[in-house]
């Protein structure tokens, strides 16, 4: 007669063989619209020629080795911050270039991040992971890999503190090769010091997505709030930057509370009043307009570089008591409803509106506002995305020149702070 323990063990094995295994719920996500563009030839070439083609595979392997959501959070935080630092270091000339793509290029960061977000979306952990927890992990990856959680402003009265923001490349369905000079400038400026006659200024930067949903969720306010609040590390100036029109810089005088609906990088449109998160300080009622406190007259008058800089005052409004939008070359009239700020009705206007609205809500007395750069253009003979190259000498020169002039404009701003 077999021992009872053996009989129980045999019965358990028989039951296990007879009962189908219950698979864990599949919480993986289909690739997003942005992630789907990653497989095109140009993004793959950009990653390969910068050495950033190892980012997503290494990240996927690190994720596969985690044994809990808490451990995954630590890995994602570490790897996201490492990607931001690697991108900053490459642009600023530290460490290996990783390939023959020019160091000033912002695109390796963008496409490498998308490789990481896709890997996270398709990751199948060996432990329970809800959709909500996966979304929270994705948020951690977005914030850490954009420099949004590492605005390391110094304390003290002998140094000025400045925050600058840029954007991802956009309009990629028209040309997937595109770069965004505002993002390139942010990478070039992060952690640098500007010398002025009134003292040094430390610059910290972050890059934002071109997605309506992220802005509605409060990504701008969440990033800027620690730097805008009172305290020893409060900013002395801030400048949001984006790509604007061909052949000119614009200092945008007025920002409007309106989303005009142009499709974002996720091919999503939003036409509505700019939504402000309920958990951030904000004026009540929500104003239709906010105004720059950048020293626009000094910026325009200064010799900041070869491209002309304009004090841009035009807006589009619905006048008080009216129903039809009207273009106003000299700014809004009393009681009007916003339909476009100086920076338009897209996310460049929106980041300027949100940043200056937060400034006003917190009583921050500091120069701040938005600057539009010229459009970054490829060289002659390289304008067709179907046959063109991912880079060319004119393209590199144009991006470097824009970054240099952004730095010069920021120097004017820094010189006017206390």
């Amino acid at each position: 007669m077999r021992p009872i323990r053996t009989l129980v063990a045999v019965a358990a094995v028989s039951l296990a063989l007879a009962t189908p295994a219950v698979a864990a719920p599949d919480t993986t996500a289909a690739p997003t619209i942005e992630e789907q563009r990653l497989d095109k030839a140009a993004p793959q070439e950009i990653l390969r020629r910068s050495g950033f083609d190892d980012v997503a595979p290494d990240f996927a392997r690190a994720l596969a080795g985690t044994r809990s959501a808490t451990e995954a959070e630590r890995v994602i935080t570490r790897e996201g911050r490492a990607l931001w630092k690697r991108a900053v270091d490459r642009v600023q000339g530290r460490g290996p270039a990783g390939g023959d793509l020019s160091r000033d290029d912002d695109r390796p960061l963008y496409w490498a991040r998308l490789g990481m977000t896709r890997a996270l979306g398709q990751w199948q952990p060996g432990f329970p992971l809800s959709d909500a927890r996966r979304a929270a992990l994705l948020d951690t990856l977005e914030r850490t890999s954009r420099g949004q959680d590492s605005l390391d402003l110094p304390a003290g009265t002998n140094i000025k503190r400045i925050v600058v923001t840029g954007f991802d490349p956009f309009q990629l369905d028209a040309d997937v090769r595109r770069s965004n000079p505002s993002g390139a400038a942010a990478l070039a400026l992060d952690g640098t010091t500007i010398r002025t006659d009134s003292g040094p200024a430390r610059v910290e930067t972050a890059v934002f997505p071109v997605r309506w949903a992220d802005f509605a969720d409060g990504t701008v306010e969440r990033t800027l709030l620690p730097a805008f609040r009172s305290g020893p590390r409060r900013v002395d100036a801030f400048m949001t930057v984006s790509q604007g029109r061909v052949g000119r810089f614009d200092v945008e005088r007025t920002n409007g509370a309106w989303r005009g609906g142009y499709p974002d990088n996720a091919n999503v449109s939003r036409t509505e009043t700019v939504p402000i998160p309920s958990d951030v300080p904000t004026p009540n009622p929500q104003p239709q307009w906010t105004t720059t406190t950048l020293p626009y007259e000094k910026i325009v008058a200064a010799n900041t570089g070869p491209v002309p800089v304009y004090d841009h005052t035009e807006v589009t409004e619905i006048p008080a008591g009216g129903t039809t939008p009207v273009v106003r070359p000299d700014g809004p009239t009393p009681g009007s409803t916003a339909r476009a700020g100086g920076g338009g009705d897209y996310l460049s206007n929106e980041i300027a509106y949100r940043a200056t609205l937060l400034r006003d809500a917190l009583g921050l007395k500091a120069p701040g506002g938005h600057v539009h750069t010229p459009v970054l253009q490829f060289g002659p003979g390289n304008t067709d995305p179907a046959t063109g190259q991912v880079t060319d000498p004119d393209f590199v020169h144009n991006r470097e020149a824009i970054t240099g002039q952004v730095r010069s404009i920021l120097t004017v701003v820094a010189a006017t702070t206390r």
Side-chain angles (χ1 to χ4, degrees):
M1 185 175 182
R2 295 178 182 176
I4 292 176
R5 181 177 298 169
T6 303
L7 290 174
V8 171
V10 170
V13 170
S14 300
L15 181 61
L17 292 173
T19 305
V22 178
D26 184 4
T27 61
T28 59
T32 66
I33 294 293
E34 285 187 278
E35 291 165 0
Q36 289 172 33
R37 298 187 187 107
L38 185 60
D39 294 323
K40 294 180 180 291
Q44 290 301 310
E45 181 180 348
I46 289 165
L47 289 171
R48 185 175 64 255
R49 292 178 61 182
S50 61
F52 278 53
D53 53 347
D54 63 356
V55 170
D58 288 352
F59 176 67
R61 283 191 289 272
L63 267 185
T66 60
R67 296 293 177 263
S68 68
T70 300
E71 185 181 358
E73 176 85 24
R74 288 195 296 268
V75 167
I76 290 167
T77 298
R78 181 191 72 213
E79 296 298 315
R81 288 175 177 166
L83 176 60
W84 173 255
K85 183 179 185 302
R86 180 173 172 180
V88 169
D89 285 348
R90 186 177 192 275
V91 169
Q92 295 186 16
R94 292 185 291 271
D100 67 340
L101 198 68
S102 64
R103 279 187 176 267
D104 67 299
D105 207 312
D106 61 304
R107 297 172 297 175
L109 171 63
Y110 176 70
W111 294 112
R113 182 192 304 111
L114 285 175
M116 294 175 75
T117 61
R118 184 165 68 176
L120 176 56
Q122 296 176 347
W123 170 49
Q124 296 184 6
F127 51 85
L129 186 73
S130 67
D131 289 343
R133 190 64 191 271
R134 190 186 293 267
L137 293 175
L138 175 60
D139 181 69
T140 296
L141 176 56
E142 287 279 350
R143 286 180 53 75
T144 55
S145 64
R146 294 179 176 281
Q148 293 177 2
D149 74 329
S150 56
L151 297 178
D152 187 21
L153 295 170
T157 59
N158 297 322
I159 190 165
K160 304 173 185 182
R161 292 165 287 273
I162 301 179
V163 168
V164 175
T165 69
F167 273 104
D168 287 348
F170 67 111
Q171 295 178 324
L172 296 168
D173 287 333
D175 190 345
V176 77
R177 303 174 300 159
R178 282 184 169 139
S179 163
N180 194 321
S182 70
L187 291 172
L189 289 165
D190 188 54
T192 62
T193 299
I194 293 176
R195 304 293 173 182
T196 75
D197 291 342
S198 55
R202 171 67 173 267
V203 183
E204 290 290 317
T205 73
V207 171
F208 285 91
V210 183
R211 294 190 297 254
W212 295 111
D214 296 68
F215 276 53
D217 288 343
T219 185
V220 173
E221 292 87 352
R222 185 168 38 158
T223 300
L224 297 180
L225 191 54
F228 280 23
R229 282 193 170 121
S230 296
R233 301 178 189 273
R234 194 179 205 183
V235 294
D236 297 300
F238 66 92
M239 194 168 83
T240 57
V241 186
S242 65
Q243 180 177 248
R245 294 186 280 182
V246 174
R248 60 185 286 168
F249 278 87
D250 286 296
V251 183
E252 304 298 352
R253 183 83 72 88
T254 307
N255 318 297
W258 185 250
R259 299 174 141 193
Y262 189 83
D264 64 10
N265 274 353
N267 290 344
V268 172
S269 298
R270 290 286 184 268
T271 305
E272 59 190 352
T273 299
V274 170
I276 304 300
S278 59
D279 60 345
V280 301
T282 192
N284 187 22
Q286 181 180 346
Q288 287 294 302
W289 309 99
T290 64
T291 304
T292 189
T293 46
L294 290 173
Y296 51 86
E297 293 177 333
K298 292 182 179 180
I299 293 171
V300 170
N303 181 21
T304 58
V307 179
V309 183
Y310 294 90
D311 169 23
H312 190 224
T313 59
E314 182 180 283
V315 301
T316 302
E317 66 174 17
I318 297 176
T323 58
T324 304
V326 176
V327 176
R328 299 289 190 192
D330 297 321
T333 57
S336 65
T337 300
R339 281 300 176 267
D345 57 12
Y346 197 40
L347 288 162
S348 55
N349 167 77
E350 184 161 330
I351 196 169
Y353 177 81
R354 289 180 181 277
T356 50
L357 190 68
L358 187 64
R359 172 203 66 193
D360 296 344
L362 295 171
L364 174 61
K365 306 299 182 185
H370 193 77
V371 171
H372 263 121
T373 76
V375 173
L376 176 58
Q377 296 178 304
F378 287 97
N382 191 30
T383 58
D384 186 349
T387 59
Q389 303 300 309
V390 298
T391 189
D392 62 61
D394 287 337
F395 183 66
V396 174
H397 171 76
N398 292 340
R399 186 170 51 213
E400 289 177 337
I402 292 171
T403 292
Q405 197 159 349
V406 169
R407 184 182 284 107
S408 294
I409 291 171
L410 195 61
T411 300
V412 176
V413 175
T416 64
T417 63
R418 60 170 180 80

